[in-house]
Amino acid sequence: HVQLVESGGGSVEAGGSLRLSCISNGNPYSTNLCLAWFRQAPGKEREGVAAIDSAGKNPTYTHSVAGRFTISKDDAKDIVYLQMNSLKPEDTAMYYCALVGTNVVADPLDSYEYDDWGQGTQVTVS
């Protein structure tokens, strides 16, 4: 399995920005794969936020973050980013990075598609 490590979480006021990073220790991001960010707030189900494939084209976003969040990746550094702007209190959650070793997924925002997960980084918006 691939180890994924997230960073960049923190506390921010509403309207602020954060950039999350997820680095892999064993699966080059340039090979066939799909990467995604999920989040889970206390008492709620895990929710797919954004996903990107190895080509980096046509990223997918859940409706509530479209236009505010941007997923991207740096193949040279094996890092995937989630730039979060115009943050709202309802964005407060633990954010997780996930990976699956294929470009072909039925629903890139469905957690069941993914094999490898990071430990998460907390984002709090007040």
Side-chain angles (χ1 to χ4, degrees):
H1 283 279
V2 175
Q3 183 179 8
L4 302 171
V5 179
E6 304 97 333
S7 62
S11 296
V12 65
E13 293 186 351
S17 298
L18 286 172
R19 188 177 77 161
L20 306 183
S21 300
C22 173
I23 190 166
S24 165
N25 77 339
N27 196 22
Y29 282 0
S30 58
T31 60
N32 290 335
L33 51 80
C34 191
L35 292 153
W37 287 96
F38 289 78
R39 66 185 179 187
Q40 189 167 19
K44 295 188 177 181
E45 293 186 355
R46 188 167 295 190
E47 173 190 29
V49 176
I52 191 169
D53 65 14
S54 51
K57 299 179 180 179
N58 300 318
T60 303
Y61 299 95
T62 192
H63 178 72
S64 62
V65 309
R68 299 188 297 122
F69 291 11
T70 302
I71 188 171
S72 62
K73 63 188 184 75
D74 184 332
D75 291 342
K77 298 179 181 179
D78 286 343
I79 297 177
V80 60
Y81 300 102
L82 185 67
Q83 178 67 44
M84 306 186 295
N85 298 328
S86 302
L87 282 161
K88 305 175 181 180
E90 51 263 44
D91 295 318
T92 295
M94 185 72 79
Y95 283 71
Y96 299 89
C97 175
L99 179 151
V100 62
T102 176
N103 264 326
V104 183
V105 295
D107 181 356
L109 296 182
D110 185 343
S111 62
Y112 288 100
E113 299 278 10
Y114 295 87
D115 297 323
D116 298 298
W117 293 81
Q119 294 299 306
T121 185
Q122 177 68 38
V123 171
T124 303
V125 185
S126 60

